[in-house]
Amino acid sequence: MHKSSTAEQEEQQPREQQFAQPIGNASQQGTRRLPAAAALAALAGSGAACYAALSAQPHLPPLQDALAAAATALLGGPLLVLAAAKVALQDRFHVELHRARLYVQAGVPASGAPAPPGSVCVRPTGDVRGNGAFAAAPIPAGTYLGDYTGEVLGRDAFYARYPDGVGDFAAAIDDEWTIDAAAAVGDVANFHPVHMNHSRHRCNVARFYARSQRRISFFTTRHVAAGEELLYDYGRAYWRGREHLELP
């Protein structure tokens, strides 16, 4: 079982390396923020469209009409894209405005049937990772595995405990709050999400963030066979500076 350091997740996040960074992983599941370059490109395109439309008019419209048209062009396109994605992906697409940041999560549900008691066990992996979480029985896709619970720490409390900014088993919620689950690591008789190991390419679990509720939940993304290890992508921030230690 790898240790987890903090850095939200934002490369939300769901384990990160620096507490001040926002959430997550820019892979197929989990959380990502809208790229600044894409936002600027959308604004530039909308501005050009507004200019072309106004230039084609023999007389300029009243100022309030022009402002309304500009606002519609600037906001309408991105909102339509988000609405279309929500319709297509339903419970696997989520948009959250939190602490003046827009977060988009795709590929992970927000709810699901809980895993039956005893369906996940913690045991040695047989390699350098130590312990890991394994399916003791078949687990359907979309199953809720549990929340990342522990002591919720604010920024000051986190750095007072971890002056170097690295918490062994802490998961960042945002740039202010993190959940420290160090106390649950040694309890191998009871599964906790902290027991799950990392894989970028073989992951079968994803994180759902409800930042306003200070909650990180875990769900299976596909059917998991009995005996199969439960894995999720910690995110690129976790491996920054130690890429040579990452296992596939």
Side-chain angles (χ1 to χ4, degrees), residues 26 32-42 102 104:
R32 67 187 70 174
R33 286 192 299 163
L34 293 179
L40 290 175
L102 184 65
V104 176

PDB file of all heavy atoms in Angstrom, residues 26 32-42 102 104:
ATOM      1  N   ALA A  26      -6.275  14.523 -14.382  1.00  0.00           N
ATOM      2  CA  ALA A  26      -6.864  14.840 -15.673  1.00  0.00           C
ATOM      3  C   ALA A  26      -6.993  13.606 -16.541  1.00  0.00           C
ATOM      4  O   ALA A  26      -6.779  13.648 -17.732  1.00  0.00           O
ATOM      5  CB  ALA A  26      -6.012  15.893 -16.386  1.00  0.00           C
ATOM      6  N   ARG A  32     -11.511  17.388 -12.746  1.00  0.00           N
ATOM      7  CA  ARG A  32     -10.585  18.281 -13.410  1.00  0.00           C
ATOM      8  C   ARG A  32     -11.208  19.663 -13.493  1.00  0.00           C
ATOM      9  O   ARG A  32     -12.399  19.825 -13.567  1.00  0.00           O
ATOM     10  CB  ARG A  32     -10.212  17.778 -14.798  1.00  0.00           C
ATOM     11  CG  ARG A  32     -11.372  17.797 -15.762  1.00  0.00           C
ATOM     12  CD  ARG A  32     -11.003  17.147 -17.063  1.00  0.00           C
ATOM     13  NE  ARG A  32     -10.848  15.733 -16.889  1.00  0.00           N
ATOM     14  CZ  ARG A  32     -10.645  14.908 -17.892  1.00  0.00           C
ATOM     15  NH1 ARG A  32     -10.520  15.343 -19.107  1.00  0.00           N
ATOM     16  NH2 ARG A  32     -10.528  13.614 -17.670  1.00  0.00           N
ATOM     17  N   ARG A  33     -10.366  20.687 -13.483  1.00  0.00           N
ATOM     18  CA  ARG A  33     -10.861  22.032 -13.701  1.00  0.00           C
ATOM     19  C   ARG A  33     -10.826  22.350 -15.183  1.00  0.00           C
ATOM     20  O   ARG A  33     -10.042  21.798 -15.934  1.00  0.00           O
ATOM     21  CB  ARG A  33      -9.998  23.043 -12.949  1.00  0.00           C
ATOM     22  CG  ARG A  33     -10.226  23.035 -11.457  1.00  0.00           C
ATOM     23  CD  ARG A  33      -9.583  24.215 -10.810  1.00  0.00           C
ATOM     24  NE  ARG A  33      -8.153  24.226 -11.023  1.00  0.00           N
ATOM     25  CZ  ARG A  33      -7.396  25.284 -10.850  1.00  0.00           C
ATOM     26  NH1 ARG A  33      -7.914  26.422 -10.498  1.00  0.00           N
ATOM     27  NH2 ARG A  33      -6.095  25.220 -11.039  1.00  0.00           N
ATOM     28  N   LEU A  34     -11.695  23.277 -15.622  1.00  0.00           N
ATOM     29  CA  LEU A  34     -11.677  23.673 -17.019  1.00  0.00           C
ATOM     30  C   LEU A  34     -10.351  24.344 -17.324  1.00  0.00           C
ATOM     31  O   LEU A  34      -9.954  25.279 -16.647  1.00  0.00           O
ATOM     32  CB  LEU A  34     -12.826  24.652 -17.291  1.00  0.00           C
ATOM     33  CG  LEU A  34     -14.229  24.066 -17.180  1.00  0.00           C
ATOM     34  CD1 LEU A  34     -15.243  25.157 -17.457  1.00  0.00           C
ATOM     35  CD2 LEU A  34     -14.417  22.907 -18.137  1.00  0.00           C
ATOM     36  N   PRO A  35      -9.607  23.892 -18.349  1.00  0.00           N
ATOM     37  CA  PRO A  35      -8.310  24.471 -18.653  1.00  0.00           C
ATOM     38  C   PRO A  35      -8.433  25.947 -18.988  1.00  0.00           C
ATOM     39  O   PRO A  35      -9.340  26.378 -19.699  1.00  0.00           O
ATOM     40  CB  PRO A  35      -7.830  23.654 -19.856  1.00  0.00           C
ATOM     41  CG  PRO A  35      -8.643  22.403 -19.811  1.00  0.00           C
ATOM     42  CD  PRO A  35      -9.964  22.796 -19.216  1.00  0.00           C
ATOM     43  N   ALA A  36      -7.497  26.737 -18.498  1.00  0.00           N
ATOM     44  CA  ALA A  36      -7.536  28.173 -18.754  1.00  0.00           C
ATOM     45  C   ALA A  36      -7.417  28.472 -20.236  1.00  0.00           C
ATOM     46  O   ALA A  36      -8.079  29.371 -20.762  1.00  0.00           O
ATOM     47  CB  ALA A  36      -6.416  28.866 -17.976  1.00  0.00           C
ATOM     48  N   ALA A  37      -6.582  27.704 -20.938  1.00  0.00           N
ATOM     49  CA  ALA A  37      -6.404  27.954 -22.371  1.00  0.00           C
ATOM     50  C   ALA A  37      -7.700  27.736 -23.134  1.00  0.00           C
ATOM     51  O   ALA A  37      -8.044  28.508 -24.036  1.00  0.00           O
ATOM     52  CB  ALA A  37      -5.310  27.052 -22.923  1.00  0.00           C
ATOM     53  N   ALA A  38      -8.446  26.688 -22.765  1.00  0.00           N
ATOM     54  CA  ALA A  38      -9.706  26.416 -23.445  1.00  0.00           C
ATOM     55  C   ALA A  38     -10.718  27.517 -23.158  1.00  0.00           C
ATOM     56  O   ALA A  38     -11.477  27.935 -24.036  1.00  0.00           O
ATOM     57  CB  ALA A  38     -10.260  25.065 -23.003  1.00  0.00           C
ATOM     58  N   ALA A  39     -10.727  28.013 -21.928  1.00  0.00           N
ATOM     59  CA  ALA A  39     -11.653  29.087 -21.573  1.00  0.00           C
ATOM     60  C   ALA A  39     -11.332  30.356 -22.351  1.00  0.00           C
ATOM     61  O   ALA A  39     -12.221  31.042 -22.856  1.00  0.00           O
ATOM     62  CB  ALA A  39     -11.590  29.345 -20.069  1.00  0.00           C
ATOM     63  N   LEU A  40     -10.028  30.683 -22.460  1.00  0.00           N
ATOM     64  CA  LEU A  40      -9.630  31.870 -23.208  1.00  0.00           C
ATOM     65  C   LEU A  40      -9.970  31.733 -24.685  1.00  0.00           C
ATOM     66  O   LEU A  40     -10.412  32.686 -25.327  1.00  0.00           O
ATOM     67  CB  LEU A  40      -8.132  32.113 -23.033  1.00  0.00           C
ATOM     68  CG  LEU A  40      -7.687  32.565 -21.631  1.00  0.00           C
ATOM     69  CD1 LEU A  40      -6.172  32.646 -21.557  1.00  0.00           C
ATOM     70  CD2 LEU A  40      -8.306  33.911 -21.291  1.00  0.00           C
ATOM     71  N   ALA A  41      -9.775  30.510 -25.211  1.00  0.00           N
ATOM     72  CA  ALA A  41     -10.114  30.292 -26.619  1.00  0.00           C
ATOM     73  C   ALA A  41     -11.610  30.458 -26.860  1.00  0.00           C
ATOM     74  O   ALA A  41     -12.039  31.028 -27.866  1.00  0.00           O
ATOM     75  CB  ALA A  41      -9.656  28.894 -27.045  1.00  0.00           C
ATOM     76  N   ALA A  42     -12.424  29.960 -25.904  1.00  0.00           N
ATOM     77  CA  ALA A  42     -13.869  30.101 -26.036  1.00  0.00           C
ATOM     78  C   ALA A  42     -14.283  31.566 -25.988  1.00  0.00           C
ATOM     79  O   ALA A  42     -15.139  32.021 -26.745  1.00  0.00           O
ATOM     80  CB  ALA A  42     -14.569  29.306 -24.938  1.00  0.00           C
ATOM     81  N   LEU A 102     -14.519  26.346 -10.681  1.00  0.00           N
ATOM     82  CA  LEU A 102     -15.461  25.456 -11.338  1.00  0.00           C
ATOM     83  C   LEU A 102     -14.799  24.096 -11.525  1.00  0.00           C
ATOM     84  O   LEU A 102     -13.736  23.986 -12.137  1.00  0.00           O
ATOM     85  CB  LEU A 102     -15.873  26.018 -12.702  1.00  0.00           C
ATOM     86  CG  LEU A 102     -16.938  25.212 -13.465  1.00  0.00           C
ATOM     87  CD1 LEU A 102     -18.262  25.237 -12.707  1.00  0.00           C
ATOM     88  CD2 LEU A 102     -17.111  25.763 -14.875  1.00  0.00           C
ATOM     89  N   VAL A 104     -15.309  20.052 -12.809  1.00  0.00           N
ATOM     90  CA  VAL A 104     -16.092  19.142 -13.634  1.00  0.00           C
ATOM     91  C   VAL A 104     -15.603  17.719 -13.373  1.00  0.00           C
ATOM     92  O   VAL A 104     -14.399  17.450 -13.458  1.00  0.00           O
ATOM     93  CB  VAL A 104     -15.962  19.479 -15.130  1.00  0.00           C
ATOM     94  CG1 VAL A 104     -16.712  18.455 -15.964  1.00  0.00           C
ATOM     95  CG2 VAL A 104     -16.487  20.881 -15.408  1.00  0.00           C
TER      96      VAL A 104
END
